[in-house]
Amino acid sequence: QNTEQGEDEIEGLQFKPYPHQHPAAKFDLTLQVTETVDELVCSVEYASALYKKETVERMASHLLQFIDVVVNNSEVQLSSIEIVTAQEKEQILEHFNDTAAEYPQEKTIHELFEEQAARTPERTAVLFEDERLTYRELNERANRLARTLRAQGVGADVPVAIMVERSLEMIVGIYAILKAGGAYVPIDPEFPTERIRYIAEDSGARLLLMQSRFLDRAPRELESRVINLNDEAVYAEDATNLPLGSGPRDMSYVIYTSGSTGKPKGVMVEHHGVLNRLQWMQQRYQVGECDVIMQKTPFTFDVSVWELFGWATVGASVCLLIPGGEKSPERILETIGRYGVTRTHLVPAMLPAFLDYAEQQPEHELAEQTARLVLVSASGEALPPQHVARFYQTFGRLNGARLVNLYGPTEATVEVSYFDCEPDESYAVIPIGKPVHNTRLYILKEGTDQLQPVGVAGELCIAGVQVARGYLNRPELTAEKFMADPFVAGERMYRTGDLARWMPDGNVEYLGRIDHQVKIRGYRIELGEIEAQLLK
């Protein structure tokens, strides 16, 4: 507005500006700038149905920050100007990311399991249908197999493929691989033969552990490296604990996830990152000896990591859902009731189907089946608010079970943020929450290291102890996605490709993808992999 301001006078009449407050905003958001003799007076009018006062105040502070930079350097590139204020930078880096905590960083997963087995040898560790293993039995059987694997050259950072259905053999095999010093590489027996061959060869797996019923699925090139987990001869060695063959900075597993080049890529994850994730969960949600955790996630999906190890260091038990049962709400609910499950995980796509089935059951039967259920976690894709409301309508009044929304890519050791959902949630979108222990979240302007302020969208980046080592045999891709942390010297950061923004309360809101990656029932699919097949 460049209309002259000030007071004026004609004969018998005086003029002066009259301040006027509009009762309603004419537009969603209007910035008005008025020239005076020596300054610019700015005001913002906004629709209060769309914007909160503090949001508009933040916008104004960002505009002032922008102007301050330009006035002091007229040659600056506009795209390089960082609008986050010093106060906001401190809030994001020092307060939102204040997550330092103690964790067993000098241990390995199997070390802590062995210590627990020594404390509670006769406590039930694993339940599967009518079978069970105590901590002592699991530890001894895994030790016997581990010695067989070590005799075949398995040691620190040596990948060992395991292709099994959910079973006692799966648990024994995974723990034996870790005890031998190796890193397990899970392969679904239902994978196409070409994919099985690719993962086994790309990982450089020294051995392929299998159940006898899948031996005919072993690629011909790997037949000489197969170990049959149903052959008692592989359990003939000494049952005592082995000398440690790996350390906290060695690989614990390599999980393959979809790749944009047409081939899946293996993510290398180290022991210490897994233990930080387990320790956080155990402390945050008080996991202990009385708990029964359901293992229902296919072990080729990284959410399974919590289910495979979260019980083993605190003396709890794990019950294995029958193979294929993860697709059946009826089977899931029956297993929860049969074994007294206290904690389980459901991808958001399964949650409404599970609720549909649960709501059809007589209330007294449902209450009895879920009497011990205290926590359900959801991750893998966005959690809609209506699912949260239905969950609490069904389970909140029956047994007080809680629902927590978790977020994390395979490249950052399962989950890195959490949001405790509430029955009276008012969020239009359920946030992915706040960072877990020893984890930092940054939201950066795309393609730069510039922090985005609260409320402004950018690429979500993850730093801290849970960041994976990188991609196996993909140094260029590793360098592209895993880079130096610009805010903490000597540490690394993973660029997720996810679009997100900070909320004023320190929670993060997920907004979608920057690229063309999609999620189907929690599984990551790079469309480049589909395109590569079509182009063939």
Side-chain angles (χ1 to χ4, degrees):
Q1 302 288 339
N2 57 5
T3 308
E4 287 188 19
Q5 301 290 313
E7 299 186 9
D8 205 349
E9 179 177 343
I10 61 174
E11 186 177 347
L13 191 64
Q14 287 184 320
F15 299 93
K16 65 178 180 180
Y18 180 77
H20 176 60
Q21 297 292 330
H22 298 290
K26 295 188 289 293
F27 302 100
D28 293 349
L29 186 71
T30 304
L31 170 66
Q32 182 167 288
V33 184
T34 303
E35 295 182 39
T36 67
V37 175
D38 56 359
E39 64 182 3
L40 300 174
V41 178
C42 302
S43 64
V44 180
E45 182 179 272
Y46 62 94
S48 58
L50 296 177
Y51 294 97
K52 294 180 179 179
K53 182 181 179 182
E54 53 265 34
T55 303
V56 178
E57 288 173 341
R58 278 200 309 272
M59 289 180 174
S61 70
H62 298 154
L63 177 60
L64 290 174
Q65 174 81 1
F66 192 89
I67 291 171
D68 187 56
V69 173
V70 172
V71 166
N72 288 289
N73 181 6
S74 61
E75 299 300 314
V76 69
Q77 261 194 317
L78 297 184
S79 61
S80 70
I81 297 176
E82 194 172 60
I83 63 173
V84 63
T85 65
Q87 183 179 2
E88 281 182 315
K89 184 175 288 189
E90 180 183 3
Q91 180 186 38
I92 292 168
L93 297 179
E94 304 299 330
H95 299 294
F96 290 173
N97 282 301
D98 182 14
T99 61
E102 293 292 325
Y103 76 103
Q105 56 182 304
E106 300 304 323
K107 299 279 189 174
T108 58
I109 299 168
H110 49 286
E111 268 187 280
L112 291 184
F113 165 68
E114 289 170 358
E115 291 172 4
Q116 184 61 48
R119 287 192 295 269
T120 56
E122 301 310 316
R123 184 179 295 277
T124 298
V126 189
L127 298 151
F128 180 59
E129 294 295 275
D130 296 325
E131 301 176 280
R132 64 184 58 216
L133 289 174
T134 65
Y135 273 82
R136 177 183 55 78
E137 290 168 336
L138 173 57
N139 190 46
E140 290 179 353
R141 193 159 180 81
N143 282 337
R144 294 179 187 276
L145 178 59
R147 281 189 160 80
T148 299
L149 302 183
R150 194 169 279 184
Q152 296 290 324
V154 176
D157 275 353
V158 173
V160 177
I162 176 168
M163 189 168 78
V164 293
E165 282 186 327
R166 194 178 299 113
S167 58
L168 296 182
E169 290 88 1
M170 178 187 76
I171 296 290
V172 171
I174 288 173
Y175 278 69
I177 293 169
L178 297 182
K179 283 170 168 284
Y184 75 94
V185 183
I187 300 177
D188 191 326
E190 298 301 315
F191 280 169
T193 303
E194 177 57 35
R195 197 177 188 90
I196 294 171
R197 179 184 297 111
Y198 173 81
I199 292 175
E201 291 182 352
D202 183 73
S203 67
R206 181 174 291 273
L207 301 170
L208 174 58
L209 276 54
M210 304 179 70
Q211 292 160 303
S212 56
R213 60 183 172 279
F214 298 122
L215 291 177
D216 60 347
R217 301 227 61 211
R220 187 170 301 171
E221 302 89 337
L222 302 175
E223 287 178 351
S224 62
R225 290 184 270 162
V226 168
I227 286 186
N228 182 358
L229 294 175
N230 297 116
D231 181 359
E232 284 301 315
V234 303
Y235 303 99
E237 301 292 334
D238 183 11
T240 59
N241 290 335
L242 290 73
L244 288 174
S246 59
R249 300 287 166 171
D250 291 319
M251 289 192 304
S252 57
Y253 63 82
V254 179
I255 282 183
Y256 276 76
T257 186
S258 188
S260 58
T261 60
K263 295 289 188 182
K265 53 186 184 286
V267 180
M268 300 179 287
V269 173
E270 298 170 348
H271 282 264
H272 71 105
V274 177
L275 290 180
N276 182 75
R277 168 64 180 79
L278 298 184
Q279 177 98 338
W280 168 80
M281 188 77 167
Q282 289 157 2
Q283 291 181 352
R284 175 77 189 177
Y285 299 106
Q286 291 83 51
V287 184
E289 290 185 353
C290 296
D291 280 301
V292 178
I293 296 167
M294 184 189 296
Q295 204 292 297
K296 59 174 284 297
T297 307
F299 74 156
T300 53
F301 187 22
D302 68 325
V303 170
S304 66
V305 172
W306 148 250
E307 301 170 341
L308 291 169
F309 305 117
W311 50 274
T313 62
V314 293
S317 302
V318 64
C319 75
L320 309 182
L321 192 64
I322 64 167
E326 67 275 6
K327 302 171 186 176
S328 168
E330 179 180 3
R331 182 63 70 176
I332 293 171
L333 186 58
E334 187 272 331
T335 304
I336 289 173
R338 178 178 178 182
Y339 297 106
V341 169
T342 60
R343 299 162 195 269
T344 190
H345 175 277
L346 294 170
V347 292
M350 169 54 82
L351 186 55
F354 178 71
L355 292 171
D356 285 344
Y357 179 76
E359 290 163 359
Q360 295 170 12
Q361 309 309 305
E363 186 168 305
H364 70 280
E365 292 183 11
L366 182 61
E368 186 177 332
Q369 282 183 301
T370 61
R372 298 195 66 223
L373 188 65
V374 296
L375 187 73
V376 174
S377 56
S379 66
E381 57 192 359
L383 176 63
Q386 61 268 28
H387 292 3
V388 176
R390 282 188 66 194
F391 175 87
Y392 281 110
Q393 288 167 6
T394 303
F395 291 105
R397 59 188 175 81
L398 289 180
N399 56 15
R402 307 288 299 172
L403 179 64
V404 57
N405 189 33
L406 301 173
Y407 161 86
T410 305
E411 290 85 348
T413 314
V414 197
E415 291 105 0
V416 293
S417 70
Y418 69 100
F419 180 78
D420 293 320
C421 301
E422 298 294 340
D424 55 351
E425 208 63 79
S426 60
Y427 287 105
V429 175
I430 300 299
I432 58 174
K434 300 178 180 181
V436 305
H437 288 169
N438 302 305
T439 297
R440 300 180 300 281
L441 302 181
Y442 309 130
I443 295 173
L444 304 183
K445 185 175 180 180
E446 190 175 351
T448 74
D449 288 339
Q450 294 179 14
L451 285 174
Q452 294 286 52
V454 171
V456 179
E459 183 178 13
L460 179 58
C461 300
I462 301 165
V465 302
Q466 289 185 201
V467 173
R469 183 185 295 183
Y471 297 114
L472 184 64
N473 302 325
R474 303 282 187 90
E476 298 85 4
L477 185 59
T478 297
E480 177 187 337
K481 292 291 187 178
F482 296 85
M483 45 189 52
D485 184 334
F487 309 105
V488 179
E491 297 207 17
R492 296 161 63 245
M493 174 183 79
Y494 170 67
R495 304 192 78 109
T496 67
D498 286 334
L499 196 65
R501 63 181 175 188
W502 286 109
M503 303 173 74
D505 60 4
N507 283 299
V508 173
E509 181 182 353
Y510 174 80
L511 300 173
R513 288 291 298 177
I514 291 172
D515 58 16
H516 298 113
Q517 183 192 104
V518 298
K519 289 285 187 78
I520 300 177
R521 295 189 297 279
Y523 284 93
R524 269 166 56 174
I525 305 293
E526 300 278 0
L527 296 186
E529 187 169 357
I530 308 299
E531 183 180 355
Q533 298 302 319
L534 293 175
L535 288 172
K536 285 182 179 180

